[in-house]
Amino acid sequence: ELKVEQNPLFLSMQEGKNYTIYCNYSTTSDRLYWYRQDPGKSLESLFVLLSNGAVKQEGRLMASLDTKARLSTLHITAAVHDLSATYFCAVDINTGNQFYFGTGTSLTVIP
Amino acid sequence: DSGVTQTPKHLITATGQRVTLRCSPRSGDLSVYWYQQSLDQGLQFLIQYYNGEERAKGNILERFSAQQFPDLHSELNLSSLELGDSALYFCASSVVGIGQTYNEQFFGPGTRLTVL
């Protein structure tokens, strides 16, 4: 069974700082997705990464994918309070079938 | 707004009861997925339907069942409810079809189920 691990599980950081969330998965896949979830809310799609070396950026968030290392990173630059949320990565190994979600990283940005 | 709708938003019921959760996918999406999110289990995939047919099954209990109708909306039926079934239930949809190379899923707002 595919396993998707994120670390850290909890992250508290000060505004203006940089940090990286890691997502490791246990089997070959070249499709990785990042989602954001605010407390009590739904999941919002952030990034879709479809090949080795893919990099996507939106505002203060940048996601990358290394399929050989089975690793994706979500880098946060100069964090602001509005980025406080839980971030999930997800992997699918057969297009059209189920996602395997990571455990989630709960990010709190302290003013 | 993802375009995926779910009803009801909140549901409070008693143990042993049966409930039905409803999901309407985004226009044009053929696949519907159901997920359960609880504090202790995280986000768990339950079941997927594609154009009316069951396509993949995850950690779905035998007390739970689902179906997708010809108009592509889907219902998740939960029966003989237990306290541990209290959770957020999400529906997601995607356009996945022939020639699609990836599977970006769009999530509905969820139904919060409380079993007392």
Side-chain angles (χ1 to χ4, degrees):
Chain A
E1 180 184 314
L2 174 62
K3 289 187 179 178
V4 184
E5 296 180 340
Q6 288 181 238
N7 68 82
L9 297 183
F10 299 93
L11 176 56
S12 180
M13 56 190 297
Q14 287 190 315
E15 278 191 335
K17 298 292 187 183
N18 304 334
Y19 208 83
T20 300
I21 298 170
Y22 297 88
C23 172
N24 290 90
Y25 52 99
S26 63
T27 194
T28 302
S29 175
D30 56 2
R31 291 183 296 276
L32 189 127
Y33 311 80
W34 283 96
Y35 285 83
R36 167 184 171 142
Q37 184 180 34
D38 291 306
K41 303 292 186 182
S42 186
L43 281 79
E44 173 191 355
S45 179
L46 293 175
F47 299 109
V48 178
L49 302 169
L50 299 176
S51 62
N52 186 41
V55 177
K56 290 202 173 174
Q57 182 162 7
E58 180 73 35
R60 300 173 188 275
L61 300 178
M62 183 174 71
S64 66
L65 178 61
D66 181 343
T67 59
K68 293 179 182 177
R70 299 177 186 172
L71 170 69
S72 180
T73 60
L74 181 66
H75 187 73
I76 303 154
T77 302
V80 293
H81 181 67
D82 285 352
L83 291 179
S84 297
T86 298
Y87 294 86
F88 291 93
C89 62
V91 176
D92 82 83
I93 54 176
N94 294 303
T95 303
N97 289 342
Q98 65 182 90
F99 272 7
Y100 293 86
F101 275 91
T103 47
T105 295
S106 176
L107 170 65
T108 302
V109 180
I110 304 167
Chain B
D1 184 354
S2 67
V4 180
T5 61
Q6 288 187 249
T7 56
K9 288 187 179 179
H10 302 277
L11 199 47
I12 301 175
T13 189
T15 54
Q17 295 298 305
R18 173 189 168 95
V19 297
T20 297
L21 313 183
R22 183 187 168 104
C23 167
S24 293
R26 294 185 320 158
S27 177
D29 284 359
L30 299 177
S31 276
V32 169
Y33 308 78
W34 286 97
Y35 293 87
Q36 179 193 59
Q37 187 177 38
S38 60
L39 284 175
D40 55 341
Q41 298 283 346
L43 194 59
Q44 293 221 39
F45 166 73
L46 297 179
I47 197 163
Q48 179 206 358
Y49 279 82
Y50 174 76
N51 204 20
E53 295 191 0
E54 181 184 306
R55 191 164 188 178
K57 243 179 180 178
N59 298 321
I60 188 166
L61 300 172
E62 285 192 11
R63 301 183 285 110
F64 297 179
S65 65
Q67 53 184 329
Q68 187 179 28
F69 295 87
D71 66 352
L72 301 178
H73 91 271
S74 178
E75 292 180 356
L76 179 66
N77 301 296
L78 314 176
S79 61
S80 302
L81 285 168
E82 302 175 359
L83 295 177
D85 297 327
S86 295
L88 257 176
Y89 290 85
F90 288 109
C91 164
S93 74
S94 71
V95 73
V96 174
I98 296 173
Q100 197 77 15
T101 58
Y102 65 94
N103 181 23
E104 187 177 14
Q105 295 183 20
F106 295 88
F107 282 73
T111 293
R112 181 171 293 281
L113 173 66
T114 303
V115 182
L116 300 175

